Amino acid sequence: YERSDLEGKNIRTFTSPTTIRKMDQIYAQVKKIGDPIQVTDYDSIDRAGRESALELTASLLRDTSGAPMGFRGVLRDVSDRKEAEAEKKKLEIQVQQAQKMESIGTLAGGIAHDFNNILGPIFGYTELALDVLPENDNVTVWLKEVLRASHRARELVRQILTISRRTDQEVQPLRIQL
């Protein structure tokens, strides 16, 4: 609005009903206490009908005898600041979510490593038992199932570790000498 559009007009013309109720309470407080007040969540409606966030500083005007005769207010458009605060809050929430996901990934990686350590003896002892048992023995069939399930578990551990690291695992041959 232009200054001439606002001079002499009632502020109620430029605000929402919710803001009017809030402002009535604030002006009553200023009148009762007499001290100026600053309000940061004052909404105004512009010519296009859009709401803008304003900051209001209001003080009581008194006549020469000290009796209240009105209010003086200064309004400052803080829409950009409010939008920046909302965006900052949104980004903070995103960062917190990313940190949670990172923590879950770290936890999953630790669990996967521990589980992988448990699988080592299962593989080793199962393979040793299979080496000494006859091929057509029932225990051999059961141990082969244990070995198959252990391979599936190891693949699951590999997938969890890949996700928790957010990188692909690089498989390299390792030469072990006994």
Side-chain angles (χ1 to χ4, degrees):
Y1 293 98
E2 296 295 323
R3 182 182 180 129
S4 60
D5 295 331
L6 299 173
E7 286 179 343
K9 299 279 182 8
N10 188 317
I11 194 73
R12 295 171 185 272
T13 309
F14 307 103
T15 58
S16 68
T18 304
T19 299
I20 291 170
R21 284 190 296 277
K22 186 182 347 174
M23 297 322 311
D24 285 345
Q25 293 172 353
I26 290 168
Y27 284 124
Q29 180 182 354
V30 170
K31 186 176 181 180
K32 180 179 174 184
I33 297 172
D35 293 334
I37 194 166
Q38 186 174 32
V39 181
T40 56
D41 55 349
Y42 186 94
D43 295 323
S44 172
I45 302 169
D46 68 12
R47 286 182 190 226
R50 295 181 308 247
E51 284 193 8
S52 299
L54 300 176
E55 180 179 84
L56 168 69
T57 303
S59 58
L60 188 61
L61 291 176
R62 299 180 184 271
D63 63 16
T64 54
S65 67
M69 62 177 237
F71 297 96
R72 175 183 301 141
V74 176
L75 293 169
R76 180 182 7 227
D77 188 345
V78 292
S79 299
D80 291 342
R81 184 180 77 202
K82 290 277 190 176
E83 287 176 25
E85 288 171 357
E87 182 64 23
K88 179 182 176 187
K89 182 71 174 169
K90 182 180 168 185
L91 291 173
E92 286 173 353
I93 290 169
Q94 288 176 346
V95 166
Q96 288 172 350
Q97 187 64 25
Q99 288 172 336
K100 286 179 192 176
M101 294 305 293
E102 185 178 351
S103 295
I104 290 170
T106 301
L107 177 63
I111 292 169
H113 276 295
D114 289 346
F115 192 67
N116 211 22
N117 291 340
I118 294 168
L119 285 174
I122 294 172
F123 275 113
Y125 288 118
T126 303
E127 289 171 349
L128 285 173
L130 284 172
D131 285 345
V132 297
L133 289 172
E135 187 64 35
N136 57 359
D137 188 28
N138 281 341
V139 176
T140 301
V141 173
W142 299 335
L143 288 175
K144 285 183 180 180
E145 284 304 313
V146 169
L147 204 55
R148 223 181 330 272
S150 298
H151 281 287
R152 286 195 309 267
R154 183 170 55 188
E155 177 58 26
L156 182 61
V157 167
R158 188 193 66 74
Q159 290 173 6
I160 292 171
L161 287 172
T162 299
I163 290 170
S164 69
R165 289 186 191 132
R166 295 187 184 163
T167 60
D168 291 333
Q169 275 189 329
E170 186 178 320
V171 180
Q172 295 180 348
L174 181 63
R175 184 179 184 145
I176 300 176
Q177 295 185 359
L178 299 174

